[in-house]
Amino acid sequence: MVNDPGENRILCNLLDKGLVFHVHNLVFDNSSRSIQRGIYVFHIIMVREKDVCWEYADKLDGNKVRCKFCMRVLNGGISRLKHHLSRLPSKGVNPCSKVRDDVTDRVRAIIASKEDVKETPATKKQRVAEAKSPGNLSASKSLMPLDAPSPMTKVFTTVTPMGNSPLSNQENAERSIALFFFENKLDFAVARSSSYQQMIDAIGKCGSGFIGPSAETLKTIWLDRIKSEVSLQSKDTEKEWAMTGCTIIADTWTDNKSRALINFLVSSPSRTFFLKSVDASSNFKNTKCLADLFDSVIQDFGPENVVQIIMDSSLNYTGIANHILQNYGTIFVSPCASQCLNIILEEFSKVDWVNRCILQAQTVSKFIYNNASMLDLMKKLTVGQELIRTGITKSVSNFLSLQSMLKQKLRLRHMFKSPEYSTISSYESKPQSAFCIAIVDDNDFWRAVEESVAISEPFLKVLREVSGGKPSVGSIYELMTRAKESIRTYYIMDENKCKIFLDIVDRKWRDQLHSPLHAAAAFLNPSIQYNPEIKFIGSIKEDFFKVLEKLLPTPDTRRDITNQILTFTRASGMFGCKLAMEARETVSPGLWWEQYGDSAPVLQRVAIRILSQVCSSFTFEKHWSTFQQIHSEKRNKIDKETLNDLVYINYNLKLGRTKSVEADPIQFDDIDMTSEWVEESESPTQWFDRFGSALDGSDLNTRQFNASIFGANDNLFGL
């Protein structure tokens, strides 16, 4: 062996790394930094010089490297570069946003191979000892060649044994589905769609050996077929328009490039269909151009079939409304009830004490959701229930979350006083911990939460009714009246607070929500007309007559209408039969008129058309990122046409899916990990500065994790 201790230590290190072998009678040459034995020379192999990943980086001064793809400078040498290129969530390295997929796959295989060949300390000592022995002439270790089967390949074989037992067919199928989701970054909510199980059932019937359609087949043959099927369903729905009429919905959105995108949909009792998406950016303030756009849409559906048009306030509401009312005598223009109700809730949340209550509650939720141990403890005490809720808008989320926190009040108080919490020393010592404990122990805070829930819940109920996709124009008037009465009852001993909230409601109702069509629908709704407790029938009668004059513009169409109104209001003829009376509260108003309105045929036709309409744009999931791709100037014509077809199919499939009875139309199944109830108030730069430590401590929220690994600009549909 080498006599010099320093040389001996160097040699041992080389042996340990598998860079020197066949060692005996060695002579160490300091000048050449080599170990010589006879005529054989074993040079020290520097990993940096031989590592294949150096072709993807430039060596800089010190221990720094620069990625050739994104030009980012990294500290830590080739190891951190590998994790940068692999886009794996480790080592505290920002993932490369421009690396090619083939490079990422190659680097991940290299990392996996090195992980696979790691040995235990005992095994390593034994191997080094054997290598030091003069009689041992075998190589202690060699680098794995790039073309050798990697452990990554082994992981994705068809069947992976668990211990000594192979996977069952059920487990193997579930594992394969899970891999498909993970590899393609699919939202787990996809598994809730009705088509998910249909697909699995259909594949199962084909037996083993089934080969799925190729990407090209999906993009061409099946895209055309499914689009044709969806279009045929739309044609079937058009048949009912002659009786029920339809509502055109103009749903508007402005993206981060200030582009105004308008989605046009048509709704009738059977279902709602998506027609098209239009980029109106260049003409968004031009009333004439927008009017021409709406004219073309109205002509697509036929003016005689359109009862009303619903649009939100982001459009030039007054200008377009005046154009439509002047040019189409029988079409009404109505505000979106969902949007107006959201504005009311938003105004509620701006009241000083309500806003303070929301901010305090968010302080507690952020502390819990940004600490893994705290989150686990909370889930344990709530039996897996989330502390917060995600609604269709920010304001809805605020009040739904307050409602949820109120239900967990006792558990929250117990959590911060529990022995388990005291053992989480790293969190208990944080300044936020003291703030949270003070908040959950404050009775004034919980009184404010209870009060906020009490004033918001009546309007959340109204929002649920008008957002479910069913005809609700006949109910909005009564629902709003009852919601206002709830506030009066709650604040019966506090006139000042009562006035604050009722003034907000009355102002928004008067300026935005009230419509003559809503009043006429309430007058024709049998559950309202024949309810002796309803006091507002007289006040809406004038609006009802105005609507009749609009829908029955000539004396011939109004013949005998007065007598028919009396027959209805006095419950004469078929209106007064036992079946009709029993169905007043249980059957939808439009269907009630269709079944029992024969005693007043003209009024019956008008009533069915009015009561068959929705009063808001729907709160279905909006895939605005998809619409952005449609209108992107960077996409060629072929891709844009494909995306248009995809959005047409996707939107209509979601609109046509059957929702469970228990589903809440104003609340999403999963919480939004990017909301103000979870995400800390940090800039993206601040977040990436602590990315590594956050990963090591499991303090990582979903959006930051996803964006870090996959990048923020993932293309949809692979186009």
Side-chain angles (χ1 to χ4, degrees):
M1 295 300 296
V2 179
N3 294 324
D4 184 270
E7 296 174 358
N8 191 37
R9 186 170 58 252
I10 293 173
L11 177 59
C12 289
N13 288 338
L14 296 176
L15 290 167
D16 186 49
K17 295 183 178 183
L19 302 178
V20 174
F21 49 92
H22 289 234
V23 288
H24 53 86
N25 300 326
L26 295 173
V27 177
F28 187 82
D29 186 347
N30 279 317
S31 62
S32 63
R33 294 195 62 79
S34 65
I35 300 171
Q36 300 178 354
R37 179 177 61 83
I39 61 173
Y40 298 98
V41 178
F42 298 87
H43 290 279
I44 296 174
I45 302 173
M46 302 301 291
V47 175
R48 183 180 71 239
E49 296 174 356
K50 296 297 183 181
D51 199 305
V52 295
C53 290
W54 277 106
E55 65 181 278
Y56 307 130
D58 296 319
K59 179 72 174 70
L60 303 179
D61 293 338
N63 198 27
K64 295 181 179 180
V65 295
R66 180 171 55 222
C67 174
K68 290 184 178 180
F69 294 101
C70 66
M71 306 308 292
R72 190 184 188 95
V73 177
L74 304 170
N75 289 316
I78 196 67
S79 176
R80 290 175 69 85
L81 173 72
K82 290 177 184 176
H83 287 276
H84 173 67
L85 297 176
S86 72
R87 297 185 287 190
L88 291 171
S90 58
K91 299 296 183 183
V93 183
N94 291 324
C96 184
S97 59
K98 298 182 179 180
V99 62
R100 302 194 310 270
D101 289 341
D102 63 307
V103 174
T104 295
D105 293 340
R106 185 184 187 192
V107 174
R108 287 186 180 184
I110 293 173
I111 293 174
S113 68
K114 290 187 179 297
E115 293 289 335
D116 190 56
V117 297
K118 285 184 178 179
E119 298 173 301
T120 63
T123 305
K124 184 182 292 185
K125 289 180 180 179
Q126 180 181 355
R127 182 179 50 75
V128 173
E130 292 173 353
K132 290 180 179 180
S133 172
N136 188 353
L137 301 179
S138 63
S140 63
K141 185 179 180 183
S142 61
L143 295 176
M144 178 180 287
L146 289 177
D147 56 353
S150 71
M152 186 67 72
T153 306
K154 299 175 185 177
V155 171
F156 293 98
T157 53
T158 305
V159 177
T160 299
M162 300 178 66
N164 295 324
S165 303
L167 294 178
S168 65
N169 290 337
Q170 171 76 18
E171 290 172 325
N172 187 54
E174 290 184 3
R175 177 180 174 278
S176 298
I177 293 171
L179 287 176
F180 177 75
F181 270 70
F182 304 153
E183 182 183 357
N184 295 283
K185 298 167 285 184
L186 298 180
D187 188 342
F188 298 140
V190 169
R192 298 192 185 106
S193 68
S194 58
S195 57
Y196 173 69
Q197 187 59 45
Q198 291 174 8
M199 172 188 69
I200 293 174
D201 291 341
I203 294 173
K205 292 178 181 179
C206 295
S208 61
F210 171 76
I211 300 176
S214 66
E216 190 63 27
T217 302
L218 289 171
K219 188 176 179 180
T220 54
I221 296 174
W222 282 109
L223 185 66
D224 290 339
R225 284 191 187 181
I226 301 298
K227 182 184 177 183
S228 298
E229 291 177 13
V230 173
S231 298
L232 285 175
Q233 294 174 8
S234 174
K235 295 296 181 183
D236 290 339
T237 304
E238 292 178 16
K239 298 175 183 177
E240 71 179 354
W241 294 352
M243 175 181 289
T244 65
C246 65
T247 293
I248 294 175
I249 300 171
D251 201 10
T252 311
W253 176 66
T254 303
D255 68 4
N256 54 10
K257 296 181 180 179
S258 299
R259 291 183 303 186
L261 309 179
I262 306 176
N263 293 333
F264 286 100
L265 306 96
V266 59
S267 176
S268 56
S270 291
R271 62 174 295 178
T272 297
F273 272 96
F274 169 76
L275 175 65
K276 61 182 177 180
S277 179
V278 178
D279 184 354
S281 307
S282 57
N283 302 313
F284 198 63
K285 301 298 182 181
N286 189 320
T287 303
K288 175 64 169 62
C289 293
L290 287 178
D292 290 341
L293 174 61
F294 274 79
D295 283 340
S296 67
V297 174
I298 292 173
Q299 294 302 321
D300 285 341
F301 299 116
E304 69 283 359
N305 293 321
V306 181
V307 176
Q308 70 168 341
I309 296 177
I310 294 177
M311 52 184 167
D312 55 54
S313 58
S314 59
L315 282 165
N316 183 359
Y317 189 93
T318 304
I320 299 175
N322 289 337
H323 169 81
I324 293 172
L325 294 175
Q326 290 173 6
N327 290 272
Y328 302 96
T330 60
I331 297 179
F332 294 85
V333 179
S334 304
C336 174
S338 294
Q339 185 186 45
C340 295
L341 284 162
N342 183 65
I343 293 174
I344 289 174
L345 292 171
E346 187 177 344
E347 291 296 316
F348 281 6
S349 66
K350 292 179 181 178
V351 175
D352 287 343
W353 65 267
V354 179
N355 184 54
R356 183 167 58 253
C357 171
I358 292 172
L359 292 175
Q360 288 176 318
Q362 288 176 347
T363 299
V364 176
S365 66
K366 287 177 183 178
F367 178 65
I368 293 173
Y369 276 91
N370 282 277
N371 298 301
S373 300
M374 285 295 301
L375 185 58
D376 289 341
L377 179 58
M378 184 273 290
K379 290 286 188 70
K380 176 183 176 182
L381 294 176
T382 62
V383 197
Q385 295 183 27
E386 297 288 356
L387 181 63
I388 60 177
R389 299 287 183 267
T390 297
I392 55 176
T393 65
K394 175 182 174 181
S395 300
V396 173
S397 295
N398 287 341
F399 289 110
L400 287 177
S401 295
L402 288 179
Q403 188 179 96
S404 177
M405 289 189 71
L406 184 61
K407 293 179 181 178
Q408 304 294 344
K409 172 184 174 181
L410 296 179
R411 292 186 177 93
L412 280 175
R413 282 185 160 177
H414 173 69
M415 180 180 72
F416 284 102
K417 296 178 181 178
S418 66
E420 292 94 334
Y421 178 71
S422 62
T423 62
I424 311 175
S425 57
S426 60
Y427 297 131
E428 189 180 23
S429 61
K430 289 184 177 181
Q432 301 99 307
S433 175
F435 295 146
C436 292
I437 292 174
I439 290 171
V440 298
D441 283 342
D442 186 359
N443 289 327
D444 289 338
F445 164 72
W446 289 112
R447 278 193 291 269
V449 173
E450 183 178 350
E451 195 171 337
S452 299
V453 169
I455 62 171
S456 62
E457 179 55 26
F459 295 93
L460 291 174
K461 287 182 178 178
V462 180
L463 191 56
R464 287 186 179 96
E465 287 295 322
V466 301
S467 301
K470 61 184 179 181
S472 54
V473 69
S475 306
I476 182 66
Y477 208 104
E478 180 189 12
L479 291 170
M480 288 299 296
T481 301
R482 292 187 184 278
K484 290 170 62 178
E485 287 300 322
S486 296
I487 290 184
R488 290 192 182 95
T489 302
Y490 187 79
Y491 284 126
I492 193 169
M493 302 298 292
D494 194 334
E495 292 185 4
N496 289 332
K497 281 190 174 181
C498 182
K499 185 176 186 304
I500 290 173
F501 292 104
L502 285 183
D503 283 350
I504 292 173
V505 177
D506 289 337
R507 185 170 64 253
K508 298 305 176 183
W509 170 269
R510 180 182 63 250
D511 297 343
Q512 292 184 315
L513 186 52
H514 175 70
S515 165
L517 193 66
H518 297 159
F523 188 90
L524 291 167
N525 188 339
S527 66
I528 295 175
Q529 179 64 229
Y530 301 125
N531 187 343
E533 296 181 1
I534 299 294
K535 308 298 183 185
F536 58 75
I537 289 293
S539 64
I540 64 176
K541 201 170 185 178
E542 183 178 354
D543 281 335
F544 167 66
F545 289 145
K546 289 180 180 178
V547 171
L548 279 184
E549 290 174 4
K550 185 177 178 70
L551 295 178
L552 304 172
T554 64
D556 289 343
T557 57
R558 293 194 295 266
R559 184 175 298 132
D560 200 36
I561 192 65
T562 301
N563 291 332
Q564 293 185 29
I565 294 173
L566 286 174
T567 301
F568 165 60
T569 56
R570 294 175 180 177
S572 302
M574 290 182 64
F575 293 119
C577 74
K578 188 175 181 179
L579 287 176
M581 295 172 66
E582 292 174 348
R584 289 172 183 173
E585 302 287 343
T586 59
V587 176
S588 65
L591 182 58
W592 186 90
W593 269 94
E594 184 179 343
Q595 295 297 318
Y596 307 111
D598 293 354
S599 300
V602 176
L603 188 61
Q604 179 189 44
R605 185 169 64 87
V606 171
I608 292 173
R609 289 176 69 84
I610 293 175
L611 293 167
S612 297
Q613 309 311 313
V614 295
C615 60
S616 71
S617 57
F618 300 143
T619 55
F620 42 76
E621 298 151 283
K622 298 177 179 179
H623 298 279
W624 291 117
S625 59
T626 312
F627 295 127
Q628 277 187 287
Q629 291 192 64
I630 292 176
H631 303 291
S632 172
E633 295 178 358
K634 296 181 180 179
R635 293 200 167 273
N636 59 46
K637 183 178 180 181
I638 296 176
D639 278 351
K640 185 173 288 189
E641 288 177 353
T642 301
L643 272 171
N644 269 307
D645 290 344
L646 279 167
V647 171
Y648 177 81
I649 294 171
N650 180 267
Y651 222 142
N652 283 315
L653 288 177
K654 288 186 177 295
L655 288 169
R657 69 186 178 187
T658 303
K659 296 182 180 179
S660 62
V661 178
E662 299 82 10
D664 189 341
I666 67 172
Q667 179 179 311
F668 294 116
D669 294 323
D670 303 309
I671 65 171
D672 179 9
M673 298 301 287
T674 69
S675 74
E676 294 177 337
W677 288 83
V678 177
E679 193 169 54
E680 298 283 6
S681 300
E682 292 182 309
S683 68
T685 303
Q686 289 174 316
W687 168 257
F688 284 122
D689 286 345
R690 68 179 183 89
F691 185 74
S693 61
L695 282 168
D696 295 337
S698 299
D699 297 341
L700 184 63
N701 78 39
T702 301
R703 186 181 71 173
Q704 292 157 333
F705 179 82
N706 187 69
S708 299
I709 297 178
F710 301 134
N713 299 314
D714 254 356
N715 288 329
L716 298 180
F717 305 118
L719 295 175

